[in-house]
Amino acid sequence: MKKIYLLVSHTGTIPSKLISYFTKDSYTHVAIALNAELTEMYTFGRKYTYLILPAGFIRESKDSGVYKRFTGTKSVLIEIPVEEEIFEEIQMRLRTMYVDKDKYKYNILGILYAKFGKPRHKENYFYCSEFVQEIFEPHGLGVKTENKVIRPIDFLSIANSKILFEGQLHNYVAQVS
């Protein structure tokens, strides 16, 4: 068995505070990590540390960018065991998407629609939790939601997962076996 990780977080940035204000959720962002050290994470978010826009498909690390700047980021790290074949398929899809990252856009309107409980899907447009659901769903790893609006906090209840860490991200140290 291999492991995939989800980092569910609240950075304290203006967008995360706005999302939290409207949703009342304590976590407002989610990223897929391919290792416990969180050096290879994929998500949809800001492309530049100091600018909210432009946003799109990005690769991030716990020790760089927004996470390095916002040291008070509170987070939950979830470990999900998967068959090696599923891990390899997800890894290949993420890396292939990253090579073509410019064709993917941030779903700004989708975030606004989500505030009203309405999904708004457009090809190659995602916000972070839509993206994770898109990657996971074909493998039976996605979350079940009645209204199809996926929020980062929904991933805290993903089946067969285990919480490895909860707290300020800068305090996380990977326990690699």
Side-chain angles (χ1 to χ4, degrees):
M1 292 292 268
K2 299 282 269 182
K3 294 171 182 152
I4 291 181
Y5 304 87
L6 290 181
L7 181 67
V8 184
S9 62
H10 184 288
T11 59
T13 61
I14 291 170
S16 69
K17 287 177 182 179
L18 282 170
I19 292 168
S20 185
Y21 175 79
F22 286 111
T23 63
K24 308 299 184 229
D25 292 345
S26 50
Y27 297 101
T28 57
H29 183 66
V30 62
I32 299 173
L34 295 177
N35 59 48
E37 297 82 10
L38 307 180
T39 57
E40 186 179 359
M41 297 191 296
Y42 297 87
T43 192
F44 275 73
R46 63 174 68 195
K47 291 184 177 185
Y48 304 106
T49 303
Y50 292 92
L51 299 173
I52 295 170
L53 296 174
F57 186 54
I58 60 170
R59 187 165 65 191
E60 54 190 359
S61 162
K62 87 168 193 68
D63 296 317
S64 65
V66 171
Y67 295 123
K68 183 177 181 178
R69 180 174 175 215
F70 293 89
T71 58
T73 296
K74 64 181 191 171
S75 60
V76 176
L77 181 62
I78 302 165
E79 177 185 83
I80 305 158
V82 296
E83 298 292 331
E84 189 162 340
E85 180 181 320
I86 290 173
F87 179 89
E88 289 173 7
E89 287 174 14
I90 289 173
Q91 180 181 51
M92 179 63 75
R93 173 115 191 258
L94 294 171
R95 291 179 176 169
T96 301
M97 282 179 72
Y98 191 71
V99 168
D100 294 327
K101 65 183 177 249
D102 292 334
K103 84 177 194 181
Y104 299 99
K105 307 296 181 207
Y106 192 84
N107 191 1
I108 294 172
L109 284 177
I111 287 282
L112 296 174
Y113 276 59
K115 189 253 183 266
F116 300 104
K118 307 276 188 213
R120 181 192 181 269
H121 301 290
K122 186 175 178 185
E123 186 175 357
N124 296 333
Y125 282 71
F126 299 96
Y127 52 85
C128 63
S129 49
E130 283 180 317
F131 158 70
V132 172
Q133 183 76 352
E134 172 80 9
I135 296 297
F136 276 16
E137 205 166 43
H139 305 287
L141 301 172
V143 296
K144 307 288 187 264
T145 62
E146 291 180 27
N147 64 5
K148 295 292 185 189
V149 172
I150 308 297
R151 300 182 346 228
I153 203 156
D154 293 333
F155 292 99
L156 294 178
S157 61
I158 199 163
N160 301 318
S161 66
K162 177 172 99 173
I163 292 178
L164 289 185
F165 174 82
E166 187 167 4
Q168 289 189 340
L169 185 57
H170 74 272
N171 291 327
Y172 171 71
V173 177
Q175 303 294 316
V176 183
S177 51

